[in-house]
Amino acid sequence: MTQYVLKKTYSFNVYTALDNCVFLGVEEKNSLYEDGDICVKGAIICILYKYSCTMTFAIKEINQRSDLLPHLKLGYHIRDSCDDIPVALRALLSFNSSNLGCAAVYRTVSPVIIGDASSGISMALLRSLGSFRIPLVSYFASCSCLSDQREFPTFMRTMPSDAFQIRALARLVSYFGWTWVGVIGVESDYARFAIQLFLQESVICSYTYSLMASSKVIINFSGESEMQGILKEIGRWNITGLQWIASEAWATATLLWEKFGDLLTGTLGFAIRRADVIPGLEEHLTSLRPSDIHKSGFLAEFWEETFNCRLNGSVNSHSHGVGNYLDRLPCKGTESLDDVYSPYSDVTQLRVSYNVYKAVYLVAHALQDMSDCKGGKGPFSNGTCADPKHFKPWQLIHYLRRANFSALGEEVNFDQNGDPIAYYDLVNWQRSPDGSLHLVKVGFYDASSPAGYSLVINDSVIQWPVGKQASRSVCSDSCPPGSRVARRKGEPICCFDCVPCAEGEVSNETDSLECTRCSEDTWPNRARDLCIPKTIEYLSYHELMGIMLCVVSVLGACISLSILAIFFTYKDTPLVRANNMELSFLLLVFLAVCFLVGLLFIGEPSDWLCRIRYPAFGISFALCISCLLAKTAVVLMAFRSTLPGSNVMKWFGPNQQRASVFLGTAVQVIICLIWLLTSPPHANNNTDYHSATIIMECVTGSEVCFWCVLGYIGILACMCFLMAFLARKLPDNFNEAKFITFSMLIFFAVWITFIPVYVSTAGKYTVAVHIFAILASAFGLLFCIFAPKCCIIILKPEKNSKKHIMQR
């Protein structure tokens, strides 16, 4: 029977050996450097030795099986790397000189290494082993950099790559809404690559280690020993209430609880998959007896630290242990591991030990696959197989990469990079009633599940550092809808200010980077998170101002027609006949039209309505002023006709008066026709004056024509005022000239006031001002000219006589 030697390295170890020997090395990831000590010390050695014993247990179990490697036996050799690259390389090279007897004892041997636990040391060893192509299987080296098969083609591991852990951490911080996170890592390949991956994978802010930082959530990619130094500094600064997020390097490092339990309560971390039980392992671990302790310095140191005693002739008598070594009592030789609690014999958290167990079985199954290979169906050239008795290291690598097996009911598979499919337990550090640490599984991360279901958390059972809810850790509060994120110059991306969206813009998402402009017919609501239809504004018949103006317009028209009826009823009286009855009738009709023209300015504007309202306004007032101008001219002509030898009235009879009214209005009609033919008024939706409102208005089209219409009315009014002013003191009773003069003064006051107000207002108020000017000027003409006459006709009929009129 051919025996293969698997050499094992202890504590922070991993080492290979000479040609034709298979060496398996197991080592622990963490070491403690303190007070000048080298390698491990204190209680940590219990854990490290536990991993070593787990490997020997797995080898023993395999050697006793008849279904796995029935014709091969596995052996091992242990070397300590002290978590130090020079020490590790020295131990690796020492196999060339210290194991020459291997070939003489065993017929066929070939090296394979289990270890190192440290990613940095594994990389150093792999580069040294490159030309030999000797496989290295790590049980705790998790750096994603080791997945590069071009640089490390002989690397395998039973520890998931940090790439999976980083995805789990990124989903964890996203799940709890943490965006301002501190990240700590020592200067090592493990921490450097982990932090780099985390920043790429996550959508949060992070900062480097600083005790004065404002974040309440700290992710630590350090090892257990480095974590002790960090926690000491945290305690010195009296910083409490931090939510620690542990990487797998220390997620189950229960030894930290003894000194820093108050700081670590509520810690969350992803721990590698735990085996509920490895049958027979506990018995194997506790089978160590005092008679075994002198077999190696490792055992002696472990025994002294576990039982706090001193062995005679111990090589550890000068530096290792806790307190003054010489003050310890001698070991009695009756100590038993069954009588004390030790992390070494604790099998409740079989995580790293389980990886060691799987690493040994990976090598065993690879050798089994090699033994089962059929000639002509092999993986090498021409279908050849490797000879289990004379294989080369690179041939074993091929079988390692393709190994698939079951360990304790779990299917163990590897991807193309030699990484196992990741599964992590999310553990929460909870304080038990007696003050001890209780690692509670509160969730898990399964990389084989779909992205949305890979992380499962039962947050109802999580114990938090402070309070009953997760810590809130953000640099800046989220920007609510209606605002946008404004980055702070020179600060991380999660530190920002919230700026309200500009006028006309909205944002309907939290932490929106940009605001979106609303369409032309919509406008933001008050919260600026939704575009709503703009308010449509025009002077409506249904609003109070429109109703009032409408009532006044109709009332003015009714009063005009009522006065017309009175004048028609009393048309044969001297007063009516003496004041140019025909022109008075025309003036009253035209004033009624002016009042009704105001109605054209009320209601929803349309193109046809806009083209009617302005010409109707201009022509109706031109008619009124032309009538007044003709009446004033009649008064002047009548006075001239009373002079001896004057026959002027025959040139200004009724026909000439009608013609003057027609000519005075014809000019205005021509202006309006030119306006309508060149650039007519039209309806327009105006959003310039008030962005939240659509003002439906009539645009004049040609401003020149609009002001020409007003200007012509002004010219007629000025001519009328001048003539009436000249005739105001003529000696006739009921001389209309003075009333026309006063009415023109009111007319000028109204329209001179109208111009600046009209220009400075917008929307329905512009229309209202226009209607008010029309009504005010029309009422001024109506009451100033006709009110005195109506008063005499109705209230003082005795004065409505020829005798009274003829009196000077």
Side-chain angles (χ1 to χ4, degrees), residues 462-485:
I462 296 178
Q463 185 179 104
W464 301 103
V466 178
K468 298 182 179 180
Q469 294 182 340
S471 301
R472 189 168 181 270
S473 185
V474 295
C475 180
S476 299
D477 290 328
S478 294
C479 292
S483 61
R484 64 175 178 85
V485 171

Side-chain angles (χ1 to χ4, degrees), residues 540-709:
S540 170
Y541 287 104
H542 303 291
E543 60 180 296
L544 180 62
M545 184 166 56
I547 294 173
M548 292 179 61
L549 292 174
C550 180
V551 169
V552 174
S553 297
V554 174
L555 180 63
C558 291
I559 293 174
S560 300
L561 295 177
S562 298
I563 294 175
L564 177 62
I566 293 172
F567 268 52
F568 184 78
T569 302
Y570 294 93
K571 64 181 183 298
D572 295 328
T573 61
L575 181 62
V576 175
R577 293 174 62 87
N579 285 278
N580 200 325
M581 179 178 62
E582 184 176 355
L583 288 178
S584 296
F585 287 170
L586 287 176
L587 180 58
L588 287 170
V589 171
F590 296 150
L591 283 174
V593 172
C594 286
F595 283 117
L596 295 177
V597 163
L599 298 178
L600 296 176
F601 287 80
I602 305 175
E604 181 178 348
S606 61
D607 288 343
W608 69 267
L609 185 63
C610 294
R611 288 173 182 147
I612 291 175
R613 69 165 58 161
Y614 287 112
F617 154 71
I619 293 172
S620 62
F621 268 90
L623 285 168
C624 289
I625 304 302
S626 295
C627 286
L628 288 176
L629 185 61
K631 287 173 69 69
T632 306
V634 168
V635 172
L636 288 175
M637 296 300 137
F639 177 76
R640 293 284 185 184
S641 65
T642 60
L643 297 177
S646 175
N647 58 354
V648 68
M649 281 302 296
K650 70 177 182 179
W651 300 107
F652 205 71
N655 291 330
Q656 287 79 8
Q657 295 172 22
R658 299 187 196 102
S660 65
V661 172
F662 173 78
L663 290 175
T665 307
V667 176
Q668 187 76 293
V669 171
I670 293 172
I671 295 174
C672 291
L673 286 175
I674 295 173
W675 187 3
L676 293 175
L677 293 175
T678 56
S679 182
H682 60 275
N684 178 59
N685 293 335
N686 185 359
T687 59
D688 296 334
Y689 185 77
H690 197 297
S691 301
T693 303
I694 298 177
I695 299 176
M696 299 185 69
E697 60 182 5
C698 283
V699 178
T700 57
S702 173
E703 292 289 338
V704 174
C705 292
F706 173 72
W707 290 109
C708 284
V709 168

Side-chain angles (χ1 to χ4, degrees), residues 37 297 300-301 304-305 309-321 323-328:
D37 293 343
E301 184 177 359
E304 290 177 332
E305 296 301 332
C309 63
R310 175 168 50 87
L311 292 170
N312 292 330
S314 172
V315 297
N316 304 308
S317 60
H318 61 283
S319 60
H320 299 297
N324 190 338
Y325 178 81
L326 296 179
D327 292 339
R328 291 181 177 180

Side-chain angles (χ1 to χ4, degrees), residues 23-82:
F23 304 105
L24 178 143
V26 180
E27 49 78 42
E28 163 57 34
K29 184 169 189 171
N30 302 304
S31 66
L32 180 62
Y33 293 87
E34 185 172 297
D35 300 329
D37 293 343
I38 301 178
C39 298
V40 296
K41 64 176 286 186
I44 294 180
I45 195 171
C46 302
I47 300 176
L48 306 183
Y49 188 60
K50 175 181 179 178
Y51 302 154
S52 171
C53 290
T54 301
M55 192 203 72
T56 62
F57 168 77
I59 293 175
K60 179 180 177 181
E61 186 178 73
I62 292 170
N63 287 339
Q64 291 175 350
R65 291 179 58 168
S66 60
D67 60 331
L68 184 61
L69 299 180
H71 304 296
L72 299 176
K73 293 295 181 182
L74 303 179
Y76 61 89
H77 186 85
I78 302 173
R79 289 297 177 90
D80 187 2
S81 70
C82 295

Side-chain angles (χ1 to χ4, degrees), residues 97-157:
S97 59
S98 62
N99 293 285
L100 293 176
C102 238
V105 177
Y106 305 111
R107 293 175 54 191
T108 306
V109 288
S110 186
V112 61
I113 302 171
I114 293 184
D116 188 290
S118 169
S119 297
I121 295 178
S122 295
M123 294 169 66
L125 295 176
L126 286 167
R127 291 188 176 103
S128 300
L129 294 171
S131 59
F132 300 102
R133 301 185 68 182
I134 297 175
L136 187 149
V137 181
S138 177
Y139 60 88
F140 208 33
S142 59
C143 181
S144 60
C145 55
L146 290 167
S147 297
D148 187 352
Q149 292 300 300
R150 290 178 298 179
E151 186 175 2
F152 307 111
T154 62
F155 179 73
M156 288 283 292
R157 56 183 160 191

